[in-house]
Amino acid sequence: MKPDRLELLPLLVYVQAHLDEDLGLTALARRAGLSPAHFQRVFTAAIGESPRAYVARLRLEQAAFYLHIHDDTLLSVALACGFHNHETFTRAFRRRFRVTPRVYRARAR
């Protein structure tokens, strides 16, 4: 039976509401009541991307939004979006949006 997105909906809502917390594979699998390997297969089949890629994408999209509306430092934005330091945040942001967070913020304004 093909996994259904509706089965994962509560978990997806949880992820979006807790982007600044530990959302690693083990933590998400435990929350879903599945083994990490099985959870990864089910999630990827239903959502179309791995749990790690999904969480990273949501964190970066949230960060882009924060850069538009807040004047907080890049470190504050990074920490608020679940990154542990601004270097990791800047590298991931640049890979996703092809510009640094500073340039992105300047262009948005």
Side-chain angles (χ1 to χ4, degrees), residues 8 11 18 29 33 41 43 79 86 92 101 107 109:
L8 292 174
L11 182 69
H18 297 90
R41 284 189 301 273
F43 189 95
L79 295 175
H86 79 280
R107 287 182 184 172
R109 298 187 175 183

Side-chain angles (χ1 to χ4, degrees), residues 22-78:
D22 175 22
L23 297 173
L25 181 62
T26 304
L28 292 176
R30 186 178 312 121
R31 186 152 189 91
L34 302 170
S35 73
H38 184 62
F39 172 72
Q40 176 136 352
R41 284 189 301 273
V42 167
F43 189 95
T44 302
I47 304 303
E49 60 187 330
S50 71
R52 182 178 181 174
Y54 178 78
V55 169
R57 180 175 57 80
L58 290 182
R59 284 178 171 162
L60 289 169
E61 288 172 359
Q62 182 184 48
F65 177 71
Y66 280 8
L67 290 170
H68 275 288
I69 63 169
H70 293 292
D71 288 328
D72 296 344
T73 65
L74 293 181
L75 178 59
S76 295
V77 171

Side-chain angles (χ1 to χ4, degrees), residues 70-101:
H70 293 292
D71 288 328
D72 296 344
T73 65
L74 293 181
L75 178 59
S76 295
V77 171
L79 295 175
C81 295
F83 292 90
H84 297 292
N85 58 59
H86 79 280
E87 291 90 1
T88 303
F89 167 64
T90 299
R91 273 194 307 272
F93 195 94
R94 187 175 189 142
R95 259 192 319 271
R96 174 92 177 141
F97 295 104
R98 307 276 190 242
V99 293
T100 64

